[in-house]
Amino acid sequence: MNVIKAVNLTKYYGKSMGIENLNLEVAEGDFFGVIGPNGAGKSTTIRTLLGLINQTSGEVKIFGKNIKLYKKEILSNIGYMPSEANFYNGMKVKDIIALSANMRKLDCHQEAKILCERLGLDTEKKVDELSLGNRKKVSIVCAMQHKPILYILDEPTSGLDPLIQKEFFEILKERHKDGATIFLSSHVLSEIQKNCINAAIIKNGKVVACDKVEKLSKTGAKRITIHGVNHVPDELLIRSVETGEDYVTFLYSDDIRKLLAIAANMPIDDITIIDPDLDEIFMDYYEKDGTI
C-alpha cells in the first residue's frame, strides 16, 4: 500500500511556481528521502502533502485517503517536523512538549523523557533561551513522542551537532524497524545515501529522478581521472569536468571502449575509472541545463 501518493501536484504562489505536476509514491514501511537544494520545492511539497497549504491543482492521498477530506484523522497518525522550529516564547521546554501531547489527547511523558535523555535536551530551560540545535531537539521530541506510523520530517538535522545527528538517525532506524514509514527531506546527500532505501531528486519543483538509492548511485556514468594531460579530445562527450596542471577528471557515460581507444593515443601517465557517488550524480542532474 502507498502511504503517500501525489498525482500532478502543483502549487503556485501567485505567479511564482512552488511545485508543478509533481508525482510521488511512498510505500508503507519505506525509508524515503527527498533531495534538493534550498528553493527546489521540498518544503512546499511537504506542506502540501500535509494539507498545511492548499494545492493549486493535483491530488494528495495519505494512508489512501484524500488529505482535504480526512485531514484531522490523517494528521493524528503523523509525526511532522518543520524545517524551522517556532514555539511560544516564555514557556519551558517541558511545557511545550506536554502541550504537544495534550493537543493529541495522549499521555506521552514516558516516551518524551526517553527521547530527551537520548538527545541531551534540558527540559527546564525556556525555549527562547535555546540554541538552534536545541530548538530542533524540542521539535524532534514533539514529532516522535506519540510514536506515529508515519514521520514527515523537513530538513530535520540542520543545526544539530554530528553526535546528535547520529543519535537522531538511530532513533529513526528503530522506529522504522518497528514498522513506521519515514519520509524526510534533506540537502545533505550523505544522509540520504546512508539512511534511506528510496529517494527522489527534486529540481525546480519537479521530480527528475526517483528510485532506490543504490540504483540512483549506479546510472552507468563513471568518474574518469586521467593523469599526464589537462584536457581531453572534443569527440568525447564528458560532463562535470575538472582540470589541473597535469590531470583531468570528468563524468563519462558513453562507450568505455571508445574512451580507452582514444586514451591509448594520449600521453597519459595513469587512468582511473570508478563509480561516482550520489553527490556527483545529484550535481550532474542539476548541471545538465546549467541550473543550480
Side-chain angles (χ1 to χ4, degrees):
M1 182 185 85
N2 286 321
V3 171
I4 298 173
K5 185 173 183 179
V7 179
N8 296 327
L9 191 59
T10 298
K11 174 62 182 178
Y12 273 84
Y13 301 96
K15 294 183 178 180
S16 299
M17 184 266 290
I19 53 175
E20 187 175 51
N21 294 326
L22 186 143
N23 293 284
L24 196 64
E25 294 184 4
V26 179
E28 182 179 8
D30 201 351
F31 202 130
F32 194 97
V34 175
I35 317 167
N38 293 332
K42 302 188 302 299
S43 292
T44 297
T45 298
I46 286 175
R47 290 169 186 161
T48 310
L49 289 176
L50 291 167
L52 301 178
I53 56 176
N54 292 321
Q55 66 262 42
T56 304
S57 61
E59 184 181 34
V60 174
K61 287 186 177 181
I62 309 290
F63 308 126
K65 297 181 178 181
N66 189 297
I67 187 63
K68 285 188 174 182
L69 301 178
Y70 299 93
K71 183 177 177 180
K72 185 175 180 180
E73 176 189 341
I74 289 170
L75 293 183
S76 69
N77 292 302
I78 293 176
Y80 168 56
M81 184 176 170
S83 58
E84 296 182 6
N86 295 305
F87 305 104
Y88 295 114
N89 286 338
M91 293 184 69
K92 288 186 176 181
V93 169
K94 64 181 182 181
D95 297 326
I96 291 290
I97 293 171
L99 176 62
S100 177
N102 291 338
M103 290 176 68
R104 297 179 180 276
K105 299 180 180 180
L106 295 172
D107 180 1
C108 304
H109 76 276
Q110 188 58 40
E111 186 61 28
K113 180 181 178 182
I114 293 170
L115 289 168
C116 289
E117 289 175 352
R118 292 185 67 172
L119 296 170
L121 179 62
D122 184 350
T123 60
E124 294 297 328
K125 285 190 174 182
K126 291 185 177 181
V127 291
D128 41 318
E129 298 172 348
L130 300 179
S131 65
L132 171 61
N134 281 315
R135 291 170 74 88
K136 279 282 189 176
K137 293 177 187 179
V138 178
S139 187
I140 291 170
V141 175
C142 290
M144 291 187 160
Q145 63 177 339
H146 60 297
K147 289 190 171 182
I149 58 176
L150 171 62
Y151 295 85
I152 296 183
L153 314 167
D154 192 1
E155 298 279 0
T157 61
S158 61
L160 296 178
D161 68 55
L163 288 177
I164 298 300
Q165 288 183 26
K166 182 179 179 182
E167 185 64 25
F168 169 69
F169 276 109
E170 285 300 316
I171 297 170
L172 280 187
K173 288 175 182 177
E174 291 166 11
R175 299 293 174 92
H176 180 249
K177 187 177 180 180
D178 288 339
T181 303
I182 314 293
F183 180 93
L184 65 88
S185 74
S186 180
H187 62 269
V188 182
L189 293 159
S190 59
E191 288 184 351
I192 302 297
Q193 193 161 20
K194 290 177 183 177
N195 300 289
C196 296
I197 299 170
N198 294 288
I201 297 175
I202 289 187
K203 177 181 180 180
N204 298 331
K206 297 181 179 180
V207 173
V208 295
C210 184
D211 212 326
K212 290 189 177 298
V213 170
E214 183 180 1
K215 287 187 178 179
L216 286 174
S217 300
K218 295 181 179 179
T219 61
K222 300 291 183 182
R223 167 58 62 183
I224 311 295
T225 301
I226 300 176
H227 293 274
V229 297
N230 58 13
H231 72 283
V232 293
D234 293 339
E235 60 198 282
L236 287 177
L237 301 176
I238 61 176
R239 309 185 306 278
S240 301
V241 185
E242 176 188 330
T243 61
E245 186 175 338
D246 64 347
Y247 77 90
V248 59
T249 182
F250 52 88
L251 284 181
Y252 181 78
S253 55
D254 202 357
D255 189 341
I256 199 70
R257 292 171 296 182
K258 178 181 177 181
L259 169 68
L260 294 176
I262 293 173
N265 295 312
M266 297 169 62
I268 68 173
D269 296 327
D270 192 16
I271 183 170
T272 59
I273 303 174
I274 61 173
D275 289 323
D277 59 25
L278 187 58
D279 181 74
E280 289 185 291
I281 292 166
F282 171 82
M283 291 306 297
D284 191 45
Y285 274 109
Y286 269 78
E287 290 174 352
K288 281 179 181 176
D289 65 358
T291 304
I292 294 286

